[in-house]
Amino acid sequence: MGHGTGETERMHALDGVRGIAAVVVLLYHLTLMARPRLEETAGLWEWITQSPLRPLTAGSEAVLVFFVLSGLVVSIPALSGSFDWLRYYPSRLLRLYLPVIAAVLFAVALIVFVPRLPGAITPDSWLANRVASSISVSQVIEESSLLPQTYTIVNVLWSLRWEVMFSVLLPVFVVVGLATKRHRALAAVLAIALGVVGRVLDVDALVYLPTFFLGTMIAVNLRELRAWAARVSARGRGLVWAALAGASAVLLVASWLARPFAPAGSSLSAALWGLAGAGAAGLIIVAIGSPFAERMLSARLPRWLGRISFSLYLVHVPVLASVAFVLGDENWPLVAAIAIPASFAIAWLFHVAVETPSHRLARRAGTRVASQHDRVREPIAS
């Protein structure tokens, strides 16, 4: 979910994509909180999740959009001949870990000070099973490290674990991206196929790492993509962008739309879910190439949402859970009315107080490591 530099400075629409994706994740967790009550009304849960409305609450799929974005914006600077890898590693890891640790501590404070009584929520619900109601020091340390596979203090941290993995392996992604540049169509098909196999076999690495790679491929082929987009737009073929956006949105949520004939847990459903990464990449291409999409996504509100998106992503579940434990999940409309604006307000404060200073500190740390290395090398070189 990190921001890039250089080429991406001209792609303000990506901030809009990032902001909208963060809101979708928030709405997704709101529906999970409300699910016990939504299922009491015949057909309502299915109407929300298996209709064209699904992209509005497709949280797991929105995370794949984040992964493609990271693959793109983190790879672009690395493709520069002047890229400093010594500066990159400390800077990138601090940019990820400092907000994560702060988010865990924020969630811990809410768990400690806001009562989380089991009787306030529906037994065996998402809140009961996936969100911590008590904590231990070891759990705080583990989740802050981003080493576990599952998280309950801040349960979105599972995705940051993959962000760290991609960030560490960035040289491999860049090398493979450059090596496959002449065969980009085949490489993209193989990456998408790996995602499908990963879903069918339930191997997360085969799902998520190829999704990052699709973003790296967009970065490697950005000049060609821009040239193609300019030709399409010059010919007045707006329908091409509309078709690509529609097809990408369908791919993103295909497993949900197919639920009536491909039930959850079936191999066909898993295979369709594996196509979500391709849908995410398609939406990013539309955001970069379509003049209309670029104008919409570069508007003030989407870009503001993009600015606070990482902070919103980190703080919204602890806020939502705390309000739900106080009011009871049966009162989910009231929970939403309080938790949604509170999440945005706290995300903005978190962005100002934690995320922005973390970025400054990360840049300074990267510069210091690189300069110390240069000072060590100078006597050797002389």
Side-chain angles (χ1 to χ4, degrees), residues 6 50-51 82 90 123 143 153 162 186 190 211 228 235 257 260 278 298 302 305 314 332 346 348 360 363 372:
Q50 298 174 28
S51 76
S82 59
E143 295 202 15
I153 297 176
W162 292 102
L186 177 60
L190 287 175
T211 304
W228 172 78
R235 293 169 185 166
L257 299 179
S298 300
L305 290 172
L314 290 174
W332 69 267
I346 292 169
W348 180 78
R360 286 198 295 265
R363 281 194 296 271
Q372 284 180 345

Side-chain angles (χ1 to χ4, degrees), residues 196 251-256 258 261-262 267-276:
V196 172
L251 283 177
L252 193 70
V253 297
S255 64
W256 288 94
F261 59 86
S267 294
L268 178 56
S269 178
L272 290 171
W273 195 10
L275 295 173

Side-chain angles (χ1 to χ4, degrees), residues 222-237:
L222 188 57
R223 185 174 289 109
E224 292 81 1
L225 175 60
R226 285 186 181 280
W228 172 78
R231 290 195 299 272
V232 170
S233 300
R235 293 169 185 166
R237 295 180 176 174

Side-chain angles (χ1 to χ4, degrees), residues 1-3 15 18-19 22 95 98-100 102-103 106 302-316 342-361 363:
M1 295 180 62
H3 296 260
D15 286 330
R18 189 182 287 109
R95 283 179 74 133
L98 291 176
V100 162
F106 168 70
R303 286 182 65 184
W304 180 80
L305 290 172
R307 196 173 305 124
I308 68 163
S309 59
F310 190 28
S311 296
L312 179 64
Y313 187 73
L314 290 174
V315 305
H316 76 274
S343 293
F344 282 109
I346 292 169
W348 180 78
L349 291 171
F350 192 92
H351 172 75
V352 171
V354 175
E355 189 182 352
T356 300
S358 295
H359 287 181
R360 286 198 295 265
L361 181 60
R363 281 194 296 271

Side-chain angles (χ1 to χ4, degrees), residues 77-78 80-89 366-367 369-371 373-374:
S80 162
S82 59
F83 188 68
D84 190 333
W85 288 100
L86 277 173
R87 177 176 297 165
Y88 160 76
Y89 276 109
T367 301
V369 169
S371 62
H373 179 260
D374 290 340

Side-chain angles (χ1 to χ4, degrees), residues 145-166:
S145 73
L146 296 178
L147 293 177
Q149 292 189 356
T150 57
Y151 300 79
T152 57
I153 297 176
V154 181
N155 72 353
V156 301
L157 293 186
W158 69 267
S159 68
L160 273 298
R161 176 173 176 262
W162 292 102
E163 290 275 1
V164 168
M165 208 172 299
F166 161 69

Side-chain angles (χ1 to χ4, degrees), residues 12-13 286-288 290-300 302-303:
H12 297 305
V286 171
I288 293 171
S290 163
F292 176 76
E294 191 170 17
R295 280 197 305 275
M296 294 297 101
L297 292 166
S298 300
R300 185 173 297 175
R303 286 182 65 184

